[in-house]
Amino acid sequence: MSPYAVKLAIRHLLSHPGQTALLMAGVALGVSVFIFMSALIGGLATLLTLRTVGSIPHIVMEMPDRDPAILSPDGHAQVVLQKDLSRRDQIAIWQPVIPIIEKTPGISAVSPQIRGSAFIERGQTVAPVGVIGVMPGKLSEIANIDAAMVDGSSNLPADGILIGSRLARDLGLRVGQVVRLSSDRGRARSFRIGGVFTLGIASADRQAVYMNFTTARALFDLSTGISRIEIRVVPATDAAAIAERLRRSTGLKATSWTEDNSQLFEGLDAQARTGIIIKAFSLVTIIVGIASAMLLSIVRRQSEIGIMRAMGASKGLVISIFVLEGTLIGLVGAIVGAVIAWLALLPLPPVTEVRSGGLPIDRAHGDFLLAITLTTLAAMLASILPARNAARIDPVEAIGA
Amino acid sequence: MSAEAIFSVSGLTKRFGEGEAEVLVLKGIDLSMAAGEMAALLGPSGSGKSTLLTILGTLMRASGGTHDMLGVDLMQASEGQRTKFRSKHLGFVFQFHHLLPDLSALENVMMPAACAAGRETRAMRERATELLDAVGLADRRDYRPSAMSGGQRQRVAVARALINNPVLVLADEPTGNLDRQSADHVMDLIRSINQTMATSFLISTHDEHIAGQCPRRIELLDGRIVRS
Ligand SMILES: Nc1ncnc2c1ncn2[C@@H]1O[C@H](COP(=O)(O)OP(=O)(O)OP(=O)(O)O)[C@@H](O)[C@H]1O
Ligand SMILES: [Mg+2]
């Protein structure tokens, strides 16, 4: 690329400021669409992920399934181990496991729980519920129950329970009332409703009942073991890798939230593909715009090109001039567009603070550098063909000698 | 033919089109010019003046015959070689100035040299300033073509033709677009350059007044030289 080509390209762009500015504005518009789409798609993905993982455990640890297995497969006799239904799935020796989990990098919260099914009865009404027994001080480790309380208090005395607002409405329950819970182990006792919460997750608000760890132990007839350990990690997207590490270090079954939410990921994938199509269109628009502008400009400047060729300019020089012009339009337009997009996105709140109804646009997902690079490449590509046309101009015809 | 001929063509033909539409425009031209010569090329419209100048300037290839210049066989040379040859040894002035509108007078004069070198150099700038001085436009060096008169533009075009110190300048009706006074000004200029720099000029024209200022007279009629 000769300095003279650079000089002539810049000189021509500066000599027609209006036309140059218009072309660059077009490119800038395409680039801001590109960045806006990236930020929106990325922000939506973050928001959906945040909403999904907000109140659920990122990793659940349980006893490994004792699936039927064939023992001694090479012998003549076949011995089959059947699924053991005589014992309950409980983590019998769990105290030593907790420190191991807590020391694993990325873990932000660990909550051993006793889980079980029960019926809640009030008068003639009966509803199935899932009981969650949590250790003292660990009530809000996984779902933030404290923040979700709408009535009563989140204290959990031995005879107190917390229920979801849907359940309270369905059964007409209020704080202070007494209900009876019968567990699937055949035990039953009365509890006072200490508080009502709204998590915003239908299943939890309709079926979850929180109670004291020790009380749950008695209700479900578990002398020492626990049902599961729920874990939260930072960042949530690392859950699968951390689960794998925990599986190896503890020998327990560790299920990451990503395994249970494949629909979310399919949705995010589809959304990302839509974004790519829109971004591709904005690039195509830029290519078409620059290519047609360059073609027109070359027709208009035929005699100029002809005279340069007649005076000894090589085809390479002519090609360089026009490719440079197109590329400069793309580069400057892209930078301007990126700056405008950045400024426009500046006042928007971060995704974590988006209220419902607001657009979850995340500047961090704006792909600013990618947008600038792709646009500049597109502009260069768009000007190659016109530039080659320019180099083919016959000086004799162009000059009209 | 003198010993120091800068170019010579013989039996040079040029045909345009094919089959039915074929026309023979140059019908066997034999011509040579000596270094430092200044010749007028005359002939009625359509006789082939522009075509001959274009071929001599390596902007177009002849259909037949020989074309040698400075010891180079230009009929056999490749397109790239011809482009280099053109930029090194030939200068052009056309009826229309064809200055680049985005460049100043000085930059326009430097253009053929800068194209060849890939950059503008201080030496070029100095040479271009001298040339602009020689054509009487030292005070217009930073003007764009749009801010100059037709005569001034054509003088810039003459200066541009000289920047690479060509041995031969081909001028196709260089004054065809100018009034008598400007035309005389340009011709005076060409004559003085011809004398001081020993650059050869071949100038096509319809104007006897212009032709009268050239020591040699070449007449073309229907694709043949009838007087040289
Ligand atoms: N590209 C071309 N295709 C076909 N015919 C052509 C072409 N260029 C020139 N001619 C023909 O060649 C002949 C000579 O043209 P040329 O331009 O050389 O004439 P000229 O002597 O310069 O005339 P003028 O004095 O009008 O400029 C004309 O008959 C013209 O029609
Ligand atoms: Mg002519």
Side-chain angles (χ1 to χ4, degrees), chain A residues 397 401, chain B residues 16-17 23 25-26 43-52 60 95 172-173 204 206 220:
Chain A
E397 276 174 41
Chain B
F16 289 109
V23 278
V25 173
L26 297 180
S45 182
S47 57
K49 301 184 296 294
S50 295
T51 307
L52 180 58
M60 187 162 72
Q95 179 174 0
D172 195 358
E173 301 188 44
S204 86
H206 288 283
L220 210 54

Side-chain angles (χ1 to χ4, degrees), chain A residues 310-327:
Chain A
M311 304 262 161
S314 64
K315 288 190 173 189
L317 180 71
V318 174
I319 291 178
S320 321
I321 293 171
F322 286 95
V323 170
L324 255 173
E325 273 189 34
T327 310

Side-chain angles (χ1 to χ4, degrees), chain A residues 2-4 7-8 11-12 15-16 301 303-304 307-314 317 394-396 398-399 401, chain B residues 50 54 59-60 83 86-87 92 94 98 100-104 107 111-112 114-115 118-120 125 144 160 172:
Chain A
S2 73
Y4 196 51
K7 169 177 176 152
L8 289 185
R11 177 62 63 86
H12 183 251
S15 297
H16 302 86
R301 297 169 68 193
S303 75
E304 273 180 64
I307 201 76
M308 290 183 65
R309 292 279 290 130
M311 304 262 161
S314 64
L317 180 71
D394 177 10
V396 180
I399 296 164
Chain B
S50 295
T54 311
L59 291 169
M60 187 162 72
T83 301
R86 178 161 71 236
S87 112
F92 296 89
F94 302 99
H98 292 295
L100 303 188
D102 304 332
L103 300 185
S104 70
E107 289 168 327
M111 186 271 278
C115 278
R119 66 176 71 238
E120 291 175 344
R125 199 168 286 275
R144 295 264 174 117
R160 177 179 63 184
D172 195 358

Side-chain angles (χ1 to χ4, degrees), chain A residues 12-72:
Chain A
H12 183 251
L13 291 177
L14 293 179
S15 297
H16 302 86
Q19 184 190 322
T20 304
L22 203 65
L23 276 171
M24 287 177 176
V27 173
L29 192 69
V31 169
S32 6
V33 169
F34 187 104
I35 289 173
F36 190 82
M37 279 317 295
S38 300
L40 180 59
I41 301 281
L44 263 174
T46 310
L47 183 73
L48 287 176
T49 310
L50 278 178
R51 291 267 154 94
T52 305
V53 300
S55 301
I56 62 167
H58 300 158
I59 300 171
V60 174
M61 304 202 59
E62 293 160 313
M63 277 311 276
D65 290 329
R66 280 185 295 269
D67 284 331
I70 296 170
L71 301 176
S72 65

